[in-house]
């Protein structure tokens, strides 16, 4: 099998390039964002110094727990940490020193090389919603997600121009046994899309399956030499690293595959209610987690993650798009850059139960903070609803459309002679208008970003057409994209091998629903 | 009359303070925002230099038109400009030099001194929507605005905690003759609210009426010595200053009242399609307009305005919340700060016809850009719908609620000992939770901003209560605020004098509807 794949790879320019070209004709995908604008920094250097010093104090004096993981404790002991039961106290500076071997930027390869993404530096890679057990659409309302829904979301992601990444668990296919669904999910990403994707993290054995399926898709040697998955490793905040997540991370690190080390924090519950207190804990957790990753394999690609929201102190519900969440995002970005690591945060986060104005205000606040806060990898950038309980079809296309705004903002402002438009100002003069002038004619097509979902029609036309709101317009776009979906080509041998792997794996285990 | 008012003012602390206290108990209003966060700057110093040099070229070589305004042409000639018909060519550097007499910051007084606002510097003052001929609510749909609607919006503005300013034409009361409605509008702002407000600009005589009504409300001497109105002077872009707007501005400048000098630009129609070209024209227009204001009265308070949107090249409709609009906003803020002038831009701008997700995405983009872009006076910060054709009751309270996000963001991040929360992190430790810890108990009430419109309920509760979207929740809040509205107290003599002035003025003119 690997020979075939290597041949496909080494064939290089020929087949792969032709395939990419065919794909590019039917489905346009924007290149990942390279920011040409500055980052916004909300914390003073003094505040950053305080947080960094306090995080070292947390690691040295309070420590972190590595649960059910004797091998991890051995690694830490050997590295110079003080291990007491499952508690690991890390001497000041040690974790930061260990993190230094992690790359500042890395390439995640896609099976279509045109879809490769650069994670880190000034780049921003956009990936869809991850994890919801429910889906919602305007017609069917809210219901448990199935594999059919999952496939639809992968197709929508493939068809979304501004989305660079196919993601991972775009929804939980609850109709497939827990111990087998990762196989179907990976198969969907690998066959229904040619964008980069994420691996399974719900068990070390499933991480191993993910690696093996990638070996079929990309070739065994290619996988060992290149990053082809970026997977999400949540910290059990506060300060706890469980064996399942760490076990999955160990598999990925050993195979040179990327992990996002993400504290998962609802402020006020899993971290202090204050921004600086939360950032201190986030930094301590990221330092410990990434240091551990580098103990497993120095140089393995890794991302500084921060998934932080606040809590509604009245109902206890998590809230999103709040100013505190934005402040933490901006601060975490500054901390990640001082560590020299790629940064993951943000997304289209919202608490709302419908793709309505609340959802959009909350989402837009988060998207803006993520763009200006220097996020490199944005999970949940489209489709997230109801605090992550729901993947929404309409919100997926609404948000995916908004990601075009980020591309245009990030491109920055040209001040070249054409942009100065002095000829146009002279030509039009006082009281004139620009619609017909030469400069406008030459530039209007690319001058302004335009939504493919929103309504810009005259009131009367819009009213006659049913006075549709954004959700109704988005429903129409979901149907349009799915109807026009074209599956990217894949070597039939590889496809058959992937299907055989999945079938064999499934047959080897009894179903499990926990 | 003026004696009475001066007495009211000179009585000072006593009556005024007591009145303010009574008001404060019933209706809470946040102080204007003092930013404790940096501005976001998107343009390089080199790009700014180019724009500034080009704007001087535009003024010197193309020039601007002052239409039907011989007195203005005289003033310009005297100041050293080259006047050719109605065209005024301003030698390089002259306009900038004239602008230097304008204050960098000024106080706009409200009749309740606790509601005074500081405009300029690091401050941000929030004012509601201005100008729509239509209103919309969920129940009645879209219809022409009336004086009854106007009064409701003033009441909602008064009841909105995060709104600092009562605004001006919160909607056009189309049931009142054009030549009289400014009187009713001003009377509403003066009697139904105690927040600062704007004067009429639709005719120089109406600006004069506005000044005279303020003299009744504040006392004649007080008005001459203090700024009690901030009024909106639009430039007829490109590069044209009409006699109506300039005439109104002359009245305000002579009376030491503040004007916002605002190019009103739909990019691609009234300015070049490029960001830098548009900024060049904006700067040229602002320089010319503010220079003229300072020629009328050196030192008169004035604001650098920039109302810029882009055009949908498919339908010709103006669009809002676009990346280009944000880029122009950020750039205009930089130019205003280099001129040392207060800056007006942004707001809750949107193109959507309903208070739906489109409206909220567009609005949130604009609000975020305005906050980080250093806006000092934000008109249209709530209630704007359908490209400014509609004042929406629901969107008014939705946006007004979102203004709380801006307050919290602008406050910045504390890194003091309490915020560091090191005791809490130690107390809770790995695997614990923060809900019950002492630090959380001591801080949770003020830790997180909380919406008063959005839904944060458990899914089941929300579903049982009718699965309401944001518009439905906002409708309920509109009704709540109007039902709980309490009119701020006003000296009955002053109230009677204002009413008499309005009645007399109205009686002195035939109705006009143009």
């Amino acid at each position: 099998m690997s020979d075939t794949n290597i041949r496909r790879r080494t064939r290089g320019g020929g087949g792969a390039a032709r395939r990419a070209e065919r794909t590019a004709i039917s489905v346009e995908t924007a290149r990942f964002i390279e920011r040409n604008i500055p980052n916004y920094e909300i914390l003073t250097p003094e505040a950053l110094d305080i947080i960094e010093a306090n995080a070292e104090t947390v690691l040295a004096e309070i420590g972190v727990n590595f649960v059910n993981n004797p091998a991890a404790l051995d690694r830490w002991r050997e590295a110079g940490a003080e291990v007491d039961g499952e508690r690991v106290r890390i001497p000041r500076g040690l974790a930061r020193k260990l993190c230094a071997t992690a790359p500042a930027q890395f390439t995640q390869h896609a099976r279509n090389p045109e879809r490769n993404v650069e994670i880190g530096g000034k780049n921003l890679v956009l990936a869809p919603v991850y994890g919801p057990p429910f889906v919602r659409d305007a017609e069917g309302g809210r219901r448990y997600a199935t594999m059919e829904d999952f496939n639809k979301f992968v197709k929508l992601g493939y068809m979304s121009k501004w989305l660079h990444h196919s993601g991972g668990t775009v929804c939980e296919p609850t109709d497939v046994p827990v111990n087998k669904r990762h196989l179907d999910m990976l198969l969907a990403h690998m066959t229904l899309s040619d964008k980069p994707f994420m691996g399974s993290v719900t068990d070390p054995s499933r991480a191993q399956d993910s690696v093996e399926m990638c070996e079929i898709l990309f070739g065994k040697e290619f996988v060992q030499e290149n990053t082809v998955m970026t997977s999400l490793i949540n910290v059990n905040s506060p300060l706890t690293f469980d064996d399942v997540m760490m076990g999955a991370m160990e598999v990925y690190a050993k195979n040179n595959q990327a992990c996002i080390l993400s504290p998962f924090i609802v402020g006020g519950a899993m971290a202090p209610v204050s921004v600086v207190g939360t950032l201190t804990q986030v930094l301590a957790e990221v330092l410990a987690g990434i240091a551990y990753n580098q103990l497993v394999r120095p140089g393995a690609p890794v991302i500084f993650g921060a998934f932080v929201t606040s809590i509604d102190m009245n109902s206890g519900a998590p809230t999103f798009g709040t100013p505190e969440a934005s402040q933490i995002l901006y601060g975490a970005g500054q901390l990640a850059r001082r560590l020299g690591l790629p940064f993951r945060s943000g997304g289209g986060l919202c608490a709302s139960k419908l793709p309505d104005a609340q959802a959009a205000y909350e989402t837009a606040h988060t998207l803006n903070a993520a763009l200006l806060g220097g996020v490199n990898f944005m999970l949940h950038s489209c489709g997230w609803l109801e605090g992550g309980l729901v993947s929404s079809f309409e919100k997926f296309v609404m948000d995916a459309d908004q990601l075009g705004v980020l591309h245009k903002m990030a491109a920055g402002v040209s001040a070249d002679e054409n942009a100065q438009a002095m000829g146009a100002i002279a030509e039009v003069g006082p009281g004139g208008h620009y619609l017909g002038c030469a400069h406008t004619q030459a530039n209007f097509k690319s001058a302004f970003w335009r939504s493919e979902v929103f309504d810009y029609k005259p009131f009367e036309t819009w009213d006659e057409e049913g006075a549709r709101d954004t959700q109704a317009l988005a429903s129409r776009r979901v149907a349009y994209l799915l109807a026009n979906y074209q599956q990217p080509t894949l070597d039939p041998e590889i496809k058959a091998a992937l299907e055989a792997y999945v079938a064999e794996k499934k047959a080897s285990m009894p179903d499990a629903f926990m």
Side-chain angles (χ1 to χ4, degrees), chain A residues 136-280:
Chain A
R136 174 183 278 281
D137 61 23
E139 204 178 324
R142 183 191 198 253
R143 59 188 189 276
Y144 275 105
T146 64
M147 197 61 214
E148 194 189 333
D149 295 314
F150 188 97
N151 289 340
K152 280 188 189 166
F153 278 115
V154 173
K155 290 177 182 176
L156 287 177
Y158 176 67
M159 297 293 283
S160 295
K161 176 178 175 182
W162 307 116
L163 200 63
H164 316 119
H165 204 282
S166 196
T169 310
V170 288
C171 61
E172 278 286 350
T174 58
D175 56 341
V176 182
V178 163
N179 59 337
K180 300 182 178 178
R181 62 176 68 145
H182 65 289
L183 300 162
D184 287 345
M185 291 194 277
L186 276 162
L187 189 64
H189 285 299
M190 290 175 173
T191 59
L192 299 177
S193 180
D194 63 0
K195 296 184 180 182
F197 52 82
M198 306 171 78
S200 175
V201 297
T202 53
D203 192 86
S205 70
R206 298 173 198 153
Q208 186 58 43
D209 292 348
S210 307
V211 171
E212 288 169 12
M213 287 180 73
C214 281
E215 289 174 346
I216 298 172
L217 184 66
F218 291 93
K220 197 172 175 110
E221 285 175 39
F222 191 85
V223 169
Q224 285 310 312
E225 284 161 18
N226 297 282
T227 299
V228 298
M229 282 181 286
T230 297
S231 304
L232 179 63
I233 304 296
N234 282 330
V235 181
N236 219 330
S237 304
L239 303 172
T240 303
F241 296 80
D242 69 54
D243 53 331
V244 172
M245 282 286 163
M246 288 301 102
M249 185 171 84
E250 288 157 18
V251 170
Y252 287 123
K254 282 176 192 162
N255 287 281
N256 201 32
Q257 299 306 308
C259 288
I260 309 166
L261 200 293
S262 266
F264 181 92
I265 289 176
V266 179
M270 289 93 125
V273 284
S274 63
V275 168
V276 161
T278 295
L279 284 170
T280 300

Side-chain angles (χ1 to χ4, degrees), chain A residues 442-501:
Chain A
N443 291 282
F444 80 89
K445 276 187 186 157
S446 62
F448 301 132
W449 172 80
R450 187 178 195 281
S451 168
E452 294 186 274
V453 174
F454 290 174
D455 160 71
Y456 298 137
K457 292 181 177 163
F459 175 81
E460 291 71 20
T461 314
W462 168 82
D463 198 41
E464 278 163 24
E465 290 180 359
R468 283 177 293 203
D469 68 3
T470 319
Q471 182 177 233
L473 295 170
S475 286
R476 200 181 48 165
R477 185 157 174 84
V478 169
Y480 171 84
L481 291 177
L482 291 177
N484 286 278
Y485 168 75
Q486 287 184 287
Q487 190 165 5
T489 53
L490 176 62
D491 186 328
E493 266 185 71
I494 294 175
K495 184 156 181 279
L498 287 168
E499 286 165 350
Y501 179 92

Side-chain angles (χ1 to χ4, degrees), chain A residues 302-473:
Chain A
V302 73
I303 299 175
F304 179 132
F307 180 90
V308 179
T309 175
S310 47
I311 196 169
D312 173 31
M313 287 294 185
N314 285 26
S315 67
T319 52
F320 295 90
T322 61
E324 297 79 21
S326 295
Q327 288 168 337
I328 290 168
L329 191 163
Y330 286 123
Q334 292 180 264
L335 293 167
R337 288 191 288 280
R338 278 164 63 122
L339 257 177
L341 290 175
F343 174 48
R344 171 257 161 148
S345 194
L349 308 180
C350 64
S352 186
K353 295 169 184 70
L354 295 170
D356 58 1
Q358 174 179 349
Y361 283 118
E362 293 172 333
T363 292
H365 288 315
T366 315
L367 291 179
N368 277 283
L371 174 69
L372 301 187
V375 166
N376 298 116
F377 188 85
M378 195 200 293
L379 199 56
H380 311 305
S381 60
C382 59
W384 165 291
L385 199 67
E386 202 186 323
L389 284 175
V390 172
S391 292
S392 157
F393 286 96
E394 282 86 3
K395 186 148 183 290
F396 194 100
V397 301
M398 285 157 53
D399 291 345
D401 182 63
Q402 285 293 301
L403 301 179
V405 174
L406 305 192
H407 281 74
K408 193 70 193 283
M409 274 300 294
V413 176
S414 165
D416 67 11
E417 211 175 297
N418 181 56
Q420 291 177 40
M422 287 296 279
I425 299 176
E427 180 189 335
V428 171
H433 67 81
Y434 285 83
L435 281 174
C437 86
H439 182 266
T440 304
Q441 292 302 313
N443 291 282
F444 80 89
K445 276 187 186 157
S446 62
F448 301 132
W449 172 80
R450 187 178 195 281
S451 168
E452 294 186 274
V453 174
F454 290 174
D455 160 71
Y456 298 137
K457 292 181 177 163
F459 175 81
E460 291 71 20
T461 314
W462 168 82
D463 198 41
E464 278 163 24
E465 290 180 359
R468 283 177 293 203
D469 68 3
T470 319
Q471 182 177 233
L473 295 170

